[in-house]
Amino acid sequence: MSGVGAAQEDRVTLTVTIVDQNGDALSDVDVYATWDDGAGGPVNETTRANGQVLLDVPEGADVRIHLDDDEYIRNSPYLVADATTRSVEVPVSQSASATLTVRDTEGARVENARVQLYRSGQFVTDQRTNADGVVETPLVEAGEYRVVTTKDGFFRNSTRIAVTGETEATTTLEEGSALVTVTVTDDHFEDPRPIRNASVTVPSVGTVQTLSDGEATISVPVNSDYTLEVTKAGYGTSSQPLRVRESDTAVDVAIQRTPRIDLVPANERVVVGETVRIEATDEYGDPVANATVTQGGAEVGTTDASGVATVPVDSGGNVTFTATKGDLSATATVQGIDPDATDTPAETTTTATTEPPTDTETPTDGVLPIGESGPGFTPVTVVVALALFAVLALRRR
């Protein structure tokens, strides 16, 4: 029995009076109470002739009083905070509903437009138009409402309507766009540098290229949310949310070059047994220190703070070096020259010289041997004659 008594002591009674817009008490109205965010209750009662109900609730609880009635309604439960035994007056209104049609400026019905109702600054409903551009509200308190209608690509419409009984109303949405200026820079540098010819993409809208100042401007439908993407060959891709409302806006996007290593030898041809200086730099031309240099799978050096390593060339032909740091690597090839494997010099060819005959007798056939002097002809005379003949031939041409 003591347990039952303790439970009774933890309860308090709320005397609740239900009144209409004019303050008149209402009888035969079904009322129920909940607490602990709906986990407790309900306690169900019907108002008597004086418009009152008695509700036993936990002491100190935050109690919400609801109506379950066809004629009267509250847009939100009435809150009794930190319940104690007391009297509470709960105002209610006659129930009403609205059928709202949304059209564009050309009269076409707008599907999937968002329609929100507010009364006295308090949110009431949030719905979407159907395929016919229509929203039918649930039962709400009769009275004046602010109706806010929105849809991607349209300007926001805010208007006021009086909802009584079964009200019908139409709202109009106007399409529009806003300019978005995107500035793309490379923030690797202390003073970020503008990037030219970067591609700025707004999905379902289009792609534009940045100019020399790193800026690109694109017209985007108002009241829309997008994912802005910026790309450029040799650079990382940037994706970020873009929220466009009803005025022009500006967005700054920073990207950097794609990480890489470049490896360059000081000489392309190196004598076998000598060394070659190779230099490793990153995507910005800055030295890559502590990169491991290998040749044929064997480690042959490590780059210093200047990105330089001096490595041996131990064989002839193409010798390839690889510099690796983290997930990045690069290669460079030099030609090893072996001085002991050069081509064999060509053999010297001796040309025999025919001595002129010493016999001074004239041949029996009357033909002078070459090198011999005939009457009026000498080797010099023959050469001169041939030269003159060549000159005359050129003149005749």
Side-chain angles (χ1 to χ4, degrees):
M1 296 297 295
S2 59
V4 174
Q8 291 294 327
E9 290 177 358
D10 292 334
R11 294 269 173 164
V12 296
T13 300
L14 296 176
T15 302
V16 178
T17 303
I18 305 297
V19 298
D20 63 14
Q21 300 98 312
N22 300 319
D24 297 330
L26 299 174
S27 62
D28 296 323
V29 176
D30 292 331
V31 177
Y32 67 96
T34 61
W35 51 89
D36 294 339
D37 293 326
V43 174
N44 299 286
E45 295 289 346
T46 301
T47 59
R48 298 185 290 270
N50 61 359
Q52 291 184 349
V53 292
L54 300 177
L55 301 175
D56 290 335
V57 298
E59 182 178 12
D62 291 336
V63 179
R64 287 174 170 78
I65 299 174
H66 310 257
L67 265 66
D68 184 11
D69 193 80
D70 294 333
E71 185 177 358
Y72 293 94
I73 195 170
R74 282 186 59 86
N75 287 337
S76 58
Y78 185 91
L79 175 64
V80 179
D82 192 15
T84 59
T85 298
R86 54 180 156 163
S87 296
V88 177
E89 185 175 273
V90 178
V92 299
S93 297
Q94 286 187 318
S95 60
S97 64
T99 300
L100 304 173
T101 302
V102 181
R103 298 178 182 271
D104 64 19
T105 53
E106 296 181 352
R109 294 171 181 254
V110 180
E111 181 182 1
N112 201 37
R114 185 179 186 183
V115 179
Q116 297 172 295
L117 266 64
Y118 296 84
R119 188 177 188 202
S120 301
Q122 298 298 313
F123 167 77
V124 179
T125 66
D126 186 350
Q127 297 172 268
R128 296 276 181 172
T129 58
N130 60 21
D132 295 324
V134 174
V135 157
E136 295 182 0
T137 72
L139 291 176
V140 295
E141 298 173 5
E144 185 178 84
Y145 287 82
R146 183 167 67 95
V147 181
V148 178
T149 309
T150 57
K151 186 178 180 178
D152 291 359
F154 292 83
F155 288 111
R156 177 176 179 269
N157 180 303
S158 178
T159 188
R160 292 187 177 276
I161 62 171
V163 179
T164 57
E166 296 179 351
T167 299
E168 294 186 0
T170 298
T171 60
T172 302
L173 289 179
E174 178 185 358
E175 287 186 284
S177 60
L179 291 178
V180 177
T181 299
V182 181
T183 302
V184 182
T185 58
D186 185 340
D187 63 352
H188 167 80
F189 306 97
E190 184 175 351
D191 293 324
R193 298 178 183 177
I195 297 178
R196 184 174 188 171
N197 292 332
S199 296
V200 177
T201 301
V202 179
S204 75
V205 177
T207 299
V208 291
Q209 304 295 121
T210 56
L211 301 177
S212 58
D213 57 0
E215 289 188 1
T217 301
I218 187 169
S219 181
V220 178
V222 297
N223 293 316
S224 304
D225 294 326
Y226 300 94
T227 298
L228 179 70
E229 184 174 270
V230 176
T231 59
K232 181 178 171 65
Y235 283 79
T237 297
S238 173
S239 296
Q240 63 184 59
L242 172 64
R243 174 176 252 184
V244 180
R245 290 301 168 250
E246 297 186 0
S247 58
D248 296 344
T249 187
V251 180
D252 293 329
V253 179
I255 59 177
Q256 292 190 7
R257 294 176 185 172
T258 305
R260 72 170 190 269
I261 293 178
D262 292 322
L263 191 63
V264 179
N267 302 97
E268 296 181 356
R269 295 163 58 87
V270 182
V271 174
V272 174
E274 299 293 333
T275 59
V276 64
R277 180 181 181 274
I278 57 175
E279 182 178 8
T281 56
D282 65 12
E283 63 277 10
Y284 287 97
D286 296 330
V288 176
N290 299 318
T292 300
V293 182
T294 59
Q295 195 275 310
E299 183 175 340
V300 293
T302 302
T303 58
D304 60 18
S306 300
V308 173
T310 300
V311 293
V313 176
D314 293 332
S315 61
N318 290 334
V319 179
T320 300
F321 297 96
T322 301
T324 304
K325 185 170 185 180
D327 296 333
L328 302 176
S329 65
T331 62
T333 299
V334 299
Q335 183 179 8
I337 305 300
D338 188 348
D340 296 330
T342 56
D343 294 336
T344 303
E347 295 182 0
T348 302
T349 301
T350 303
T351 302
T353 303
T354 302
E355 293 291 334
T358 56
D359 191 355
T360 57
E361 294 182 355
T362 302
T364 57
D365 57 6
V367 179
L368 292 176
I370 296 174
E372 292 280 349
S373 298
F377 290 90
T378 65
V380 175
T381 304
V382 173
V383 172
V384 172
L386 290 174
L388 290 174
F389 179 79
V391 171
L392 289 175
L394 288 175
R395 287 182 179 177
R396 288 175 183 174
R397 292 181 187 178

